């Protein structure tokens, strides 16, 4: 189990996890099934994942909140602490917009997440679900603050993944969105970001152009009916996650099983479920 860390200190284990997370992108394509609590993280690790990403939406739902920066820093940090303690893999945490508009807010969030054992963070440039987006210079300053806070907390190796919601929220004329993302990628790279996350973009032709021109490795969010991992990798995507997808599937399974039990009174939806002993064994470390 990972212990929480006081500000300004890290363990060799956490530094190794951050370096491992960096290497996983540098050496190939990193596929990240997103977890939302300690249990889902342990299950994902047991399926063969090499790293864990969290989903802010899934974490928020598990704590009784809606998605879209409605969860506070303290609750997200505690959720991250439980997840990092449940697995021996690098964990990158979806920190939404950093839980405050100013660079100092982002720095506070990064320091807290390093203390909770995070090897990486996602930081987005939208101010709310649907937009608007922060001006490029403002978001660059926030990313720079994240980089400096990580170093000050003793983890300069922290992986900072800069998310831009230009395509997710359809910001600006469609013909100018790729150029907007590339301008942001350049500024975010100069500010110290390690990766570029562009949810909402699954057009393989546009992704290929983005991957070829971006100064940062590109992260795409896969989903039902969209390109496969192999197709995304073929156009240059280096990191692939699924957002709330697994959480949605898990809650859907619970809804279907409950509806069957309350309706027909049968339990067919439970056929093929992971065994009690198999799940319980994941926590006996």
């Amino acid at each position: 189990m990972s212990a929480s860390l006081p500000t300004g200190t890290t363990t060799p284990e956490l530094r190794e996890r951050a370096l491992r997370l960096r290497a996983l992108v540098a050496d190939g394509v990193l596929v990240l099934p997103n977890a939302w609590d300690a249990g889902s993280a342990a299950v994902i690790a047991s399926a063969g994942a090499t790293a864990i990403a969290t989903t802010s939406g899934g974490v928020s739902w598990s704590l009784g909140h809606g998605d879209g920066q409605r969860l506070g820093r303290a609750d997200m940090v505690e959720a991250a602490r439980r997840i990092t303690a449940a697995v021996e893999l690098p964990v990158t945490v979806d920190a939404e917009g950093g839980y405050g508009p100013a660079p100092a807010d982002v720095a506070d969030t990064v320091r807290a997440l390093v203390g909770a054992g995070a090897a990486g963070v996602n930081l987005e440039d939208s101010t709310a679900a649907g937009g608007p987006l922060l001006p490029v210079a403002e978001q660059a300053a926030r990313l720079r603050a994240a980089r400096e806070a990580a170093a000050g907390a003793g983890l300069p190796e922290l992986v900072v993944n800069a998310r831009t919601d230009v395509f997710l929220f359809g910001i600006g004329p469609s013909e100018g969105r790729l150029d907007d993302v590339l301008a942001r990628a350049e500024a975010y790279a100069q500010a110290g970001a390690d990766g570029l996350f562009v949810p909402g973009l699954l057009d393989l032709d546009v992704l290929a152009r983005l991957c070829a021109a971006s100064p940062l490795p590109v992260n795409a969010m896969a989903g039902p009916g969209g390109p496969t991992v192999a197709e995304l990798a073929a156009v240059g995507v280096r990191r692939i996650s699924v957002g709330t997808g697994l959480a949605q599937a898990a809650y859907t399974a619970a809804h279907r099983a409950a509806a069957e039990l309350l309706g027909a009174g049968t339990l067919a939806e439970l056929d093929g479920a992971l065994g009690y002993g198999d799940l319980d064994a994941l926590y006996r470390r």
Side-chain angles (χ1 to χ4, degrees), residues 74-102:
D75 285 337
M76 188 62 78
V77 169
E78 285 308 307
R81 195 185 312 279
R82 290 190 291 271
I83 290 169
T84 63
V87 296
E88 297 178 349
L89 300 175
V91 176
T92 178
V93 176
D94 181 352
E96 303 190 86
Y99 306 108

Side-chain angles (χ1 to χ4, degrees), residues 118-156:
V121 295
N122 264 30
L123 290 164
E124 60 197 53
D125 57 12
S126 55
T127 60
L133 306 190
L134 288 162
V136 176
E138 287 187 28
Q139 182 63 1
R142 285 155 42 87
L143 291 167
R144 192 171 296 109
R147 183 85 276 151
E148 293 170 355
L155 191 65

Side-chain angles (χ1 to χ4, degrees), residues 161-180:
N161 203 34
R163 168 175 151 175
T164 181
D165 288 338
V166 170
F167 280 91
L168 184 64
F169 298 143
I171 304 297
S174 58
E175 63 274 13
R177 288 174 193 158
L178 178 58
D179 288 340
D180 187 355

Side-chain angles (χ1 to χ4, degrees), residues 259-283:
E260 181 192 4
L261 179 62
L262 294 168
T266 54
L267 295 169
E269 288 288 342
L270 299 184
D271 290 347
L274 289 171
Y276 170 86
D278 295 329
L279 286 169
D280 199 54
L282 296 177
Y283 310 100

Side-chain angles (χ1 to χ4, degrees), residues 24-129:
L24 286 167
V25 174
D27 296 342
V29 177
L30 175 59
V31 180
L32 292 164
N34 299 76
W36 59 95
D37 60 11
S40 60
V43 168
I44 290 166
S46 73
T50 55
I52 301 290
T54 72
T55 160
S56 65
V59 172
S60 296
W61 296 339
S62 74
L63 296 176
H65 296 272
D67 191 17
Q69 307 191 50
R70 298 179 190 175
L71 196 65
R73 178 190 295 123
D75 285 337
M76 188 62 78
V77 169
E78 285 308 307
R81 195 185 312 279
R82 290 190 291 271
I83 290 169
T84 63
V87 296
E88 297 178 349
L89 300 175
V91 176
T92 178
V93 176
D94 181 352
E96 303 190 86
Y99 306 108
D105 298 314
V106 174
D108 286 344
T109 296
V110 167
R111 281 190 289 267
L113 286 172
V114 169
V121 295
N122 264 30
L123 290 164
E124 60 197 53
D125 57 12
S126 55
T127 60

